[in-house]
Amino acid sequence: MKFDVLTLFPEMFEPLKYSIIERAVEKNLININLINIRDFSKDKHKHVDDTPYGGGAGMLIRPDVVYDAYNSVKTEKSKVIYLSPKGKVLNQTIARNLAKEEHLILLCGHYEGIDQRVLDEIVDEEISIGDYVLTGGELPAMVLIDTVSRYVKGVLSEDSTKEESFAEQHENLLEYPAYTRPLEFRGKTVPQILSSGNHQEIEKWRKEQSLIMTYKNRPELLNEEQKAEVEKLLQNNS
Ligand code: 4FN
């Protein structure tokens, strides 16, 4: 899978080199190409932004420079994604479907955003990573690259692929609490059941813990049936 990132701040993508993504790049499973939008400026001062028609605060990125940057990388198979707070909020289903694409062009905004005409001209999908104010689309683009790359065949070890297929059945649930050595830490011990050797009981406990945890912190992730299940569990324990 190839990612072409159109950005004014290519240096911001340095951390990707030190993540799990680095190995995927080395193995040629994914290819991340950074394009500096500023390279497509036409004036000698390398300007890429200008004031908004109609007035208002801040600057907008000009449509012509963005279009030329896009033109330098687009093919017939490209899908263009604009990282934008106006987009659909990214989730695991969107990530899994994007992994089926062979070429993603990720467009990152800055300042007050980008002239609407070039967005209308080139963008296939707008995607947001959540509801908060950011200074640019670069961190969202990195989040998208990270989550989509996990689904590209060969990126994850076989071990974590196995765990993933398990995790997928429980995808709408938060993870159960996990423990490692030492058995006692600051007076707190590891739940008895986990050293019982009874794998069936351990699975049952973990599933219940996941449900209870999700009910308490993220109830919107549960369906009605799951909520009823947790309410029954909580009743029996009181
Ligand atoms: N943000 C909001 C409302 C109005 C503006 C913003 C905002 C960066 C170029 C967009 C933000 C959040 C999630 C891209 C936010 C994202 C961005 C993202 C983003 C500079 C213009 C801007 C109602 C969401 C709080 C700045 C809400 N996912 N404008 O942050 O690019 O991808």
Side-chain angles (χ1 to χ4, degrees):
M1 149 144 273
K2 184 175 190 202
F3 298 94
D4 276 305
V5 186
L6 311 182
T7 171
L8 286 171
F9 297 92
E11 324 79 50
M12 278 190 72
F13 292 81
E14 192 80 355
L16 282 184
K17 293 185 190 159
Y18 306 97
S19 69
I20 179 163
I21 301 309
E22 179 194 20
R23 264 167 298 154
V25 170
E26 279 170 5
K27 288 198 265 177
N28 273 324
L29 299 169
I30 62 170
N31 177 359
I32 304 168
N33 185 29
L34 305 173
I35 296 100
N36 192 339
I37 294 171
R38 199 171 297 281
D39 291 344
F40 296 85
S41 167
K42 278 153 211 80
D43 67 86
K44 67 172 176 198
H45 295 109
K46 295 275 166 206
H47 286 135
V48 292
D49 55 338
D50 212 327
T51 54
Y53 281 112
M59 301 291 270
L60 288 168
I61 306 179
R62 291 166 53 110
D64 48 353
V65 285
V66 171
Y67 190 76
D68 290 349
Y70 155 79
N71 242 335
S72 76
V73 294
K74 71 127 194 284
T75 70
E76 298 82 76
K77 288 168 176 170
S78 310
K79 174 164 216 156
V80 179
I81 296 172
Y82 178 41
L83 285 307
S84 158
K86 296 173 183 171
K88 268 193 282 179
V89 176
L90 181 62
N91 60 32
Q92 215 49 47
T93 305
I94 294 175
R96 207 181 299 114
N97 285 327
L98 287 177
K100 297 170 188 161
E101 300 288 334
E102 60 182 80
H103 184 207
L104 295 180
I105 298 177
L106 307 182
L107 176 58
C108 306
H110 233 88
Y111 314 121
E112 302 311 306
I114 303 178
D115 183 287
Q116 187 62 39
R117 291 165 296 176
V118 71
L119 300 177
D120 293 342
E121 186 79 19
I122 71 173
V123 173
D124 297 307
E125 256 185 82
E126 281 189 51
I127 294 178
S128 166
I129 63 161
D131 297 337
Y132 28 78
V133 178
L134 293 173
T135 57
E138 283 78 13
L139 288 169
M142 279 186 264
V143 167
L144 188 139
I145 290 170
D146 191 277
T147 187
V148 170
S149 296
R150 293 180 67 260
Y151 282 108
V152 173
K153 205 173 178 309
V155 169
L156 295 183
S157 68
E158 218 160 279
D159 243 32
S160 38
T161 315
K162 236 182 263 163
E163 272 174 48
E164 182 69 10
S165 72
F166 166 80
E168 254 163 43
Q169 299 178 283
H170 302 255
E171 207 163 62
N172 68 332
L173 297 185
L174 301 182
E175 275 177 81
Y176 51 78
Y179 303 85
T180 186
R181 273 181 279 277
L183 192 56
E184 189 183 327
F185 170 70
R186 294 177 67 83
K188 292 182 164 73
T189 57
V190 173
Q192 279 286 319
I193 181 93
L194 297 177
S195 5
S196 70
N198 187 335
H199 294 293
Q200 218 173 335
E201 281 303 306
I202 290 171
E203 276 320 298
K204 183 165 164 273
W205 181 84
R206 285 178 166 168
K207 180 76 193 298
E208 289 175 2
Q209 291 300 310
S210 278
L211 280 165
I212 292 166
M213 194 80 66
T214 310
Y215 184 86
K216 287 183 173 160
N217 290 350
R218 300 291 306 279
E220 75 278 13
L221 295 179
L222 298 179
N223 60 39
E224 293 309 313
E225 193 185 337
Q226 289 171 314
K227 271 187 240 175
E229 196 179 338
V230 181
E231 276 153 19
K232 210 168 106 188
L233 280 171
L234 293 176
Q235 244 159 30
N236 292 345
N237 287 2
S238 69

